[in-house]
Amino acid sequence: MSDINQFLEEAAWLVNAELDRLIPAEGRPPQQLRDAIRWSLFAGGKRLRPALMLAAGRAFGVADEKVMRTAAAVEMIHTYSLIHDDLPSMDDDDLRRGRETCHRKYGEATAILAGDALQALAFQTIAEDAHNSPETKMRLISGLGQAAACMVVGQQLDLEAEGRELTIEEIENIHINKTGALIAFSTEAGAIIAEAEASEFEGLSRFGEKIGLLFQVMDDLLDVTQSTADLGKTAGKDAASEKATYPSSLGLEGTRDFASQVYEHAIASLMEVKADTSLLMQIARFLLERKA
Amino acid sequence: MSDINQFLEEAAWLVNAELDRLIPAEGRPPQQLRDAIRWSLFAGGKRLRPALMLAAGRAFGVADEKVMRTAAAVEMIHTYSLIHDDLPSMDDDDLRRGRETCHRKYGEATAILAGDALQALAFQTIAEDAHNSPETKMRLISGLGQAAACMVVGQQLDLEAEGRELTIEEIENIHINKTGALIAFSTEAGAIIAEAEASEFEGLSRFGEKIGLLFQVMDDLLDVTQSTADLGKTAGKDAASEKATYPSSLGLEGTRDFASQVYEHAIASLMEVKADTSLLMQIARFLLERKA
């Protein structure tokens, strides 16, 4: 197994253990709500955001335990957004990560509430993190709040765009908000927790933005080129819903070229960062080459 | 106009001005999302929670400006919960505060997103409040996060209870979570911001719990005794949905007696608080006597 796969597995294991501690299988009722939250939280997600945060923290020599709670919080926000985006009135999706979506399994009301609870718990988790100073936690909550608001903006723009032809700039604006902001926050958080210099923070922030874009470009590409079984979610959905994507705008070859460019820009933004960013660079490479 | 009505009007004016600054009518698109948020946020709510927080702060001599951002955040959380509770898959309500509910006016997807955005903004608003120390803001966010999670739990329990006969303890447990927790946080926040002693905080916390219960008991009572026009929301809805309420369990007279008892307990919990709690007591009286 390559180094990067080993690291991604380790990061996933660490954040899963933290999430399991924060939201255990048994506890305060109502059990149905707890089950619904865990159904989506432990659906086998790749934990890319926690991995980026851990890698960014390690780049600055920060102990993993200072990062884990915020990493769990980011995954809670990510999961809540997936639950709500899948709802019948939104993207109306039945399948996510290879199994039923939350509302298909637990009903629409409980799915909405599971998402709502995850968002509240995310902010509470950071506020109650004993490993970081109040100042650091304030910056983290402010950043996470901004990212969460951006995600809502991105989803709204995405809904408004359906069936309409978009320019590449409009597509990019949707993605910057919908997925880019939280991915960028994930790398920024490593620098915030490390109390890194402003210039280092800026480098990590730009890297995160590019990585978010790369992730989305590849997602669009895989939606066209891979099968439902490979993806664990409904393939070909973008075309079916006439959603604007990179392949629909740039073609397959053009999209691959664009992904390579974005990857190069991501790497370039780390050039002036003094910390050891080799792990972050490997994650970028992994995203460029991923098949699912 | 009585003193208490004047104070409630002043509190509403102050929090409305703060909310208008935080979420102005014009700004970053998408405009539809902004309009939906403001539609529900400025629907003429009584601003009970901000009023309680201001009154609790003033009891300890805290300047209003130290309270206003958290007061606005609490109203954002309250409004988001109303938007989501009104959704078709939840309570399916068409009317709220005398006008169309958010999803009736803007569609279900945008209503869900408006609620989601309000929750994120609430936590971000406290994190970015320049008037309080990082330590104070941490306690506020932790408390608000807990209250927001309780609200979701209460709504889930409420949904699971429909069509089933509940004991008075079960009814109370639903209300403690669904409305009590945020009202209790509103009075607690005054003590947190004042950095009051633990015993003072406890008194305010117990008062808030009782006030939350009083509010709900009166709400159930008014649902039976008042008209839709008086309430600004659909009257008689609890009976129509066979929802367990205080009147259905204790009868009208029994419910009025219970409300008086809860009021007395609320007042009693302020007895050992050294701060000047006269304004809080007047709010309790106002809630006991309210007609809409």
Side-chain angles (χ1 to χ4, degrees):
Chain A
M1 197 191 309
S2 80
D3 281 0
I4 185 62
N5 279 306
Q6 204 175 329
F7 168 74
L8 291 174
E9 274 200 14
E10 186 195 356
W13 188 90
L14 285 170
V15 76
N16 286 346
E18 188 69 34
L19 287 167
D20 192 47
R21 266 194 297 274
L22 290 164
I23 309 175
E26 314 251 309
R28 247 182 96 185
Q31 191 61 40
Q32 164 101 339
L33 181 64
R34 184 176 291 273
D35 292 345
I37 288 172
R38 288 179 56 98
W39 175 262
S40 292
L41 204 50
F42 297 105
K46 289 182 287 291
R47 312 304 195 195
L48 169 65
R49 293 157 192 78
L52 282 166
M53 202 184 292
L54 264 182
R58 288 187 186 179
F60 293 100
V62 168
D64 287 353
E65 63 174 16
K66 287 183 73 123
V67 179
M68 285 324 300
R69 283 236 164 173
T70 306
V74 157
E75 201 63 18
M76 289 180 199
I77 292 287
H78 175 53
T79 302
Y80 121 68
S81 79
L82 296 181
I83 295 172
H84 282 193
D85 288 0
D86 284 339
L87 287 168
S89 64
M90 302 260 206
D91 300 346
D92 193 15
D93 222 323
D94 294 342
L95 201 62
R96 164 75 66 183
R97 291 171 176 167
R99 56 174 171 172
E100 281 177 288
T101 46
C102 194
H103 66 273
R104 292 286 298 176
K105 175 89 177 167
Y106 292 97
E108 213 174 318
T110 298
I112 293 171
L113 292 172
D116 289 345
L118 279 168
Q119 177 160 217
L121 284 169
F123 291 105
Q124 191 190 341
T125 294
I126 299 180
E128 296 174 3
D129 181 359
H131 301 288
N132 288 293
S133 71
E135 288 79 4
T136 295
K137 293 192 279 185
M138 284 299 82
R139 286 191 67 195
L140 291 171
I141 290 172
S142 164
L144 184 60
Q146 280 172 40
C150 281
M151 290 162 78
V152 171
V153 164
Q155 177 68 3
Q156 175 74 23
L157 292 173
D158 202 6
L159 291 169
E160 290 177 7
E162 253 175 66
R164 192 165 71 79
E165 273 210 35
L166 298 190
T167 65
I168 196 76
E169 286 78 19
E170 286 177 307
I171 297 175
E172 204 167 303
N173 186 40
I174 290 174
H175 293 318
I176 285 172
N177 284 287
K178 194 171 164 176
T179 53
L182 192 64
I183 292 179
F185 171 74
S186 300
T187 55
E188 290 166 2
I192 293 172
I193 292 169
E195 299 177 29
E197 284 171 32
S199 65
E200 306 271 283
F201 174 87
E202 285 306 321
L204 266 289
S205 177
R206 272 197 304 278
F207 173 78
E209 277 168 27
K210 296 298 173 193
I211 284 296
L213 186 56
L214 175 60
F215 179 81
Q216 192 58 52
V217 174
M218 292 307 297
D219 220 48
D220 282 5
L221 196 61
L222 293 169
D223 182 76
V224 180
T225 58
Q226 301 298 98
S227 72
T228 296
D230 287 333
L231 292 180
K233 60 183 179 182
T234 316
K237 193 153 186 296
D238 294 340
S241 68
E242 293 182 33
K243 225 175 217 183
T245 65
Y246 288 98
S248 74
S249 172
L250 303 176
L252 284 186
E253 212 43 53
T255 302
R256 283 198 192 92
D257 289 348
F258 183 59
S260 297
Q261 268 177 44
V262 175
Y263 166 78
E264 296 297 341
H265 286 151
I267 299 301
S269 48
L270 293 177
M271 283 306 135
E272 289 181 34
V273 175
K274 281 168 271 167
D276 174 11
T277 56
S278 54
L279 197 47
L280 287 169
M281 291 190 196
Q282 286 178 67
I283 297 178
R285 187 87 217 167
F286 171 85
L287 289 177
L288 179 67
E289 292 170 354
R290 78 191 174 106
K291 295 281 177 274
Chain B
M1 198 190 313
S2 78
D3 280 0
I4 185 63
N5 279 307
Q6 204 174 331
F7 169 73
L8 292 173
E9 274 201 11
E10 186 194 355
W13 189 89
L14 285 170
V15 76
N16 287 345
E18 188 69 36
L19 288 167
D20 192 49
R21 267 194 297 274
L22 290 165
I23 309 175
E26 316 251 307
R28 247 182 98 189
Q31 191 61 39
Q32 164 101 340
L33 181 64
R34 185 176 289 274
D35 291 345
I37 289 172
R38 288 180 55 99
W39 175 262
S40 292
L41 204 51
F42 296 104
K46 289 182 288 289
R47 312 304 194 196
L48 169 65
R49 293 156 191 78
L52 282 166
M53 201 183 293
L54 264 182
R58 287 188 188 179
F60 294 100
V62 168
D64 288 354
E65 64 174 15
K66 287 184 76 125
V67 180
M68 285 324 300
R69 282 235 163 175
T70 306
V74 157
E75 200 62 17
M76 289 180 198
I77 292 287
H78 175 54
T79 302
Y80 121 68
S81 79
L82 297 181
I83 295 173
H84 282 194
D85 288 359
D86 285 339
L87 287 167
S89 64
M90 303 262 207
D91 299 347
D92 193 15
D93 221 322
D94 294 342
L95 200 62
R96 166 73 68 182
R97 291 172 175 167
R99 56 174 170 171
E100 280 177 289
T101 47
C102 193
H103 66 274
R104 291 286 300 177
K105 175 88 177 171
Y106 293 97
E108 215 175 316
T110 298
I112 293 170
L113 292 172
D116 290 345
L118 278 168
Q119 179 161 214
L121 285 170
F123 291 105
Q124 191 191 340
T125 293
I126 298 180
E128 297 175 2
D129 181 0
H131 301 289
N132 287 293
S133 72
E135 287 80 3
T136 295
K137 293 191 281 185
M138 282 300 82
R139 289 192 65 195
L140 291 171
I141 290 171
S142 164
L144 185 60
Q146 282 172 39
C150 281
M151 291 162 78
V152 171
V153 165
Q155 176 69 2
Q156 175 74 22
L157 292 173
D158 202 7
L159 291 169
E160 291 177 7
E162 255 175 64
R164 191 165 70 78
E165 272 209 34
L166 298 190
T167 65
I168 196 77
E169 286 77 19
E170 286 178 306
I171 297 175
E172 204 166 305
N173 186 40
I174 290 173
H175 294 319
I176 284 172
N177 284 287
K178 193 170 164 175
T179 53
L182 192 64
I183 292 180
F185 171 73
S186 300
T187 55
E188 290 166 3
I192 294 172
I193 292 169
E195 299 177 28
E197 286 170 31
S199 64
E200 306 271 284
F201 174 87
E202 286 307 320
L204 265 288
S205 178
R206 273 197 303 278
F207 173 78
E209 278 167 28
K210 297 297 171 191
I211 285 294
L213 186 55
L214 175 61
F215 179 81
Q216 193 58 52
V217 174
M218 293 305 299
D219 221 47
D220 282 6
L221 196 62
L222 294 169
D223 183 75
V224 181
T225 58
Q226 301 298 98
S227 71
T228 297
D230 286 333
L231 293 180
K233 61 183 177 184
T234 315
K237 192 153 185 298
D238 295 339
S241 68
E242 293 183 34
K243 226 178 217 181
T245 67
Y246 288 96
S248 75
S249 172
L250 303 177
L252 283 187
E253 212 43 50
T255 303
R256 282 196 192 94
D257 289 347
F258 183 60
S260 296
Q261 270 178 43
V262 175
Y263 166 77
E264 296 298 339
H265 287 151
I267 299 300
S269 49
L270 293 177
M271 282 308 134
E272 288 180 34
V273 174
K274 281 168 270 169
D276 174 12
T277 56
S278 54
L279 198 48
L280 288 169
M281 291 190 196
Q282 287 179 65
I283 297 178
R285 186 90 218 165
F286 171 85
L287 289 177
L288 179 67
E289 292 170 354
R290 77 193 175 102
K291 295 279 176 275

